[in-house]
Amino acid sequence: MPHKYNNIPPGIKSKIGRDLFLQENNHPLATLKRRIETFFAQGYIPGSTFFKCFDRLPQVVSVQQNFDDLLTPKDHPSRQLSDTYYVNDKMLLRCHMTAHQTTLLKEGHTAFLMVGDVYRRDEVDATHYPVFHQMDGVRVWDRYELPPTIQADLEKGNRDSAVVFVMDDLKLHLSALVKDLFGSDIELRWVETTFPFTEPSLELEIYWEGQWLEVLGCGMIRDEILKNCEKSNTIGWAFGIGLERIAMVLHDIPDIRLFWTDDNRFMKQFQVQSDKPVKFVPYSKHPACYKDISFWLPSEDSETTNFHDNDFFSLAREAAGDLVESIQLIDSFVHPKTRRKSVCYRILYRSMDRNLTNAEVDEIQDRIKASVVSSIVGSELR
Ligand code: PHE
């Protein structure tokens, strides 16, 4: 019997162990992982240390590791079944690589990278896929390794100089990394943000094709997290980078589904040896076709239904696999008398590799309809 919390469909399970980032065939995610690993291993920053890379950490982690240890508030949206894939009420598919941070800190590591596949229930479009890859990094110092003036400030209970020290070191590493990846003339900016596990927190954005694009999140690890790892005398930084986002920009890859394709027209373009990142030349785009679906949500009362758009996105992905390119909510309304809510989604179908036939798309659309009826209990097609 599946646990009532279990919301991991077979299509997601089948992705576990694909390990795109470990392939030895020049897969762009594997190449990028290797570049970042090399950057942090070779000490590009004078005086910097060697970062050990963990790339075989298990995808299933505890709620404690993924959320509680990182001080994620109990009511944070990312904890909900609509956003995260749960195995049961205690275990889940990690939704970020930060999930391993406290485990490795407790083991005593002080400079390390964590890379792997992460899982999120999310939108369906060219830049979102329920499985993607992140590289996290952590660097911590024992108080006694810090310059004496900072130690003295900390003795007096003044953290200001320690914060400056940590944030400067973090920015130095990450701006050098981004310049190494994108070239030294790339324009960067730091934007203040918040994460449950860091304070202060920053995002790094690059100026790319006329707009600012966020490429990573980072910050100073909160004292409480370190204290809970029995590291009260320790300070440090952490960051997390989305690998697909970077690889899509570096190689002009227009659709995130391409990372998963078996079509050799994708992979063969990455076989050339060159100092510059390969620019992907899309093979001719196959025609798209869209179909709408509308249905009444289960609850009589639009306020109390616990249906989430992600529930529909997830079932449509299961039925259509990678033939669905994007899904948009195009209409929703609440019946004035019954208060029942109706939604209408537009599904865009397109294969990366071939032309789809009408009959094929009709069949998938029928599967999606059947799945709405059977899995959203109490819903009704319109
Ligand atoms: N885990 C964050 C995310 O998935 C990234 C992050 C890692 C931010 C470490 C700060 C520190 O978006």
Side-chain angles (χ1 to χ4, degrees):
M1 260 295 274
H3 192 277
K4 85 169 165 35
Y5 265 85
N6 188 306
N7 60 352
I8 310 176
I12 295 296
K13 254 185 220 146
S14 71
K15 297 286 196 283
I16 303 174
R18 281 285 299 275
D19 291 343
L20 298 178
F21 67 104
L22 293 175
Q23 289 184 18
E24 286 178 12
N25 56 358
N26 294 331
H27 191 283
L29 294 175
T31 306
L32 180 56
K33 175 237 180 204
R34 225 175 314 112
R35 280 186 72 187
I36 303 178
E37 201 181 326
T38 310
F39 176 88
F40 279 98
Q42 289 184 341
Y44 272 62
I45 309 290
S48 183
T49 186
F50 172 84
F51 286 70
K52 186 171 164 56
C53 184
F54 294 88
D55 57 12
R56 303 206 182 239
L57 298 160
Q59 289 86 352
V60 175
V61 298
S62 63
V63 172
Q64 179 87 33
Q65 290 172 299
N66 197 85
F67 293 124
D68 300 338
D69 283 352
L70 296 168
L71 312 178
T72 308
K74 287 280 183 227
D75 59 356
H76 197 275
S78 63
R79 288 188 182 248
Q80 286 166 15
L81 277 161
S82 59
D83 285 46
T84 290
Y85 291 105
Y86 282 84
V87 177
N88 54 44
D89 55 348
K90 303 224 160 39
M91 304 299 286
L92 49 77
L93 284 176
R94 62 188 174 204
C95 72
H96 55 176
M97 289 307 291
T98 321
H100 301 285
Q101 178 177 297
T102 55
T103 312
L104 292 167
L105 282 169
K106 283 179 199 157
E107 287 175 12
H109 299 285
T110 55
F112 56 93
L113 304 169
M114 307 164 261
V115 56
D117 36 334
V118 300
Y119 295 77
R120 285 186 202 174
R121 302 185 80 213
D122 215 327
E123 296 159 48
V124 179
D125 64 29
T127 59
H128 290 89
Y129 201 76
V131 191
F132 59 102
H133 298 81
Q134 285 183 331
M135 172 84 96
D136 263 47
V138 170
R139 169 76 167 114
V140 293
W141 293 264
D142 191 285
R143 192 192 269 218
Y144 304 105
E145 294 174 79
L146 299 171
T149 52
I150 300 177
Q151 283 186 45
D153 284 345
L154 285 171
E155 297 295 325
K156 286 183 258 159
N158 180 352
R159 294 177 79 256
D160 297 353
S161 58
V163 175
V164 172
F165 174 85
V166 168
M167 295 306 281
D168 280 354
D169 190 75
L170 173 65
K171 288 191 201 163
L172 186 70
H173 277 85
L174 293 176
S175 29
L177 171 67
V178 167
K179 286 183 187 224
D180 184 60
L181 294 173
F182 292 99
S184 54
D185 42 4
I186 187 87
E187 244 189 287
L188 314 175
R189 74 174 185 197
W190 295 96
V191 181
E192 277 175 36
T193 186
T194 51
F195 295 107
F197 25 92
T198 48
E199 173 59 36
S201 306
L202 293 173
E203 269 165 5
L204 180 51
E205 296 186 341
I206 60 169
Y207 195 67
W208 190 262
E209 287 175 354
Q211 46 187 347
W212 288 100
L213 187 74
E214 183 223 316
V215 290
L216 61 87
C218 63
M220 181 161 174
I221 302 174
R222 278 175 61 185
D223 284 344
E224 197 180 335
I225 296 178
L226 292 164
K227 203 165 93 215
N228 294 340
C229 296
E230 315 221 342
K231 305 258 170 254
S232 336
N233 269 327
T234 300
I235 58 169
W237 53 246
F239 72 84
I241 300 185
L243 295 187
E244 274 83 350
R245 168 72 64 90
I246 306 253
M248 287 174 85
V249 170
L250 276 177
H251 303 291
D252 284 346
I253 296 172
D255 191 299
I256 196 165
R257 290 173 292 168
L258 284 162
F259 292 106
W260 299 87
T261 185
D262 295 325
D263 192 321
N264 190 42
R265 284 176 296 174
F266 179 72
M267 277 305 299
K268 81 170 180 223
Q269 296 195 30
F270 297 95
Q271 303 312 316
V272 291
Q273 289 302 326
S274 128
D275 289 343
K276 285 224 169 88
V278 168
K279 290 294 174 194
F280 174 68
V281 183
Y283 25 100
S284 64
K285 231 176 167 184
H286 296 272
C289 120
Y290 71 81
K291 299 220 177 266
D292 295 344
I293 177 171
S294 56
F295 53 93
W296 293 102
L297 293 184
S299 173
E300 295 289 310
D301 180 349
S302 61
E303 300 298 313
T304 60
T305 179
N306 45 32
F307 171 83
H308 191 288
D309 286 333
N310 286 350
D311 298 331
F312 179 71
F313 299 154
S314 175
L315 75 80
R317 281 228 199 250
E318 278 301 301
D322 286 359
L323 300 182
V324 49
E325 179 163 300
S326 64
I327 304 178
Q328 246 185 308
L329 177 67
I330 54 170
D331 189 31
S332 82
F333 80 97
V334 176
H335 191 283
K337 285 225 179 65
T338 63
R339 309 297 305 150
R340 204 172 176 189
K341 188 173 174 185
S342 157
V343 288
C344 179
Y345 295 99
R346 176 156 295 174
I347 307 175
L348 191 87
Y349 294 96
R350 188 204 313 266
S351 163
M352 290 276 115
D353 316 325
R354 62 192 173 84
N355 283 343
L356 296 175
T357 66
N358 259 330
E360 189 176 9
V361 173
D362 282 342
E363 203 189 302
I364 301 171
Q365 185 78 1
D366 285 344
R367 277 211 301 274
I368 295 181
K369 285 184 188 159
S371 176
V372 165
V373 173
S374 67
S375 62
I376 307 175
V377 178
S379 66
E380 213 179 307
L381 294 172
R382 302 191 54 201

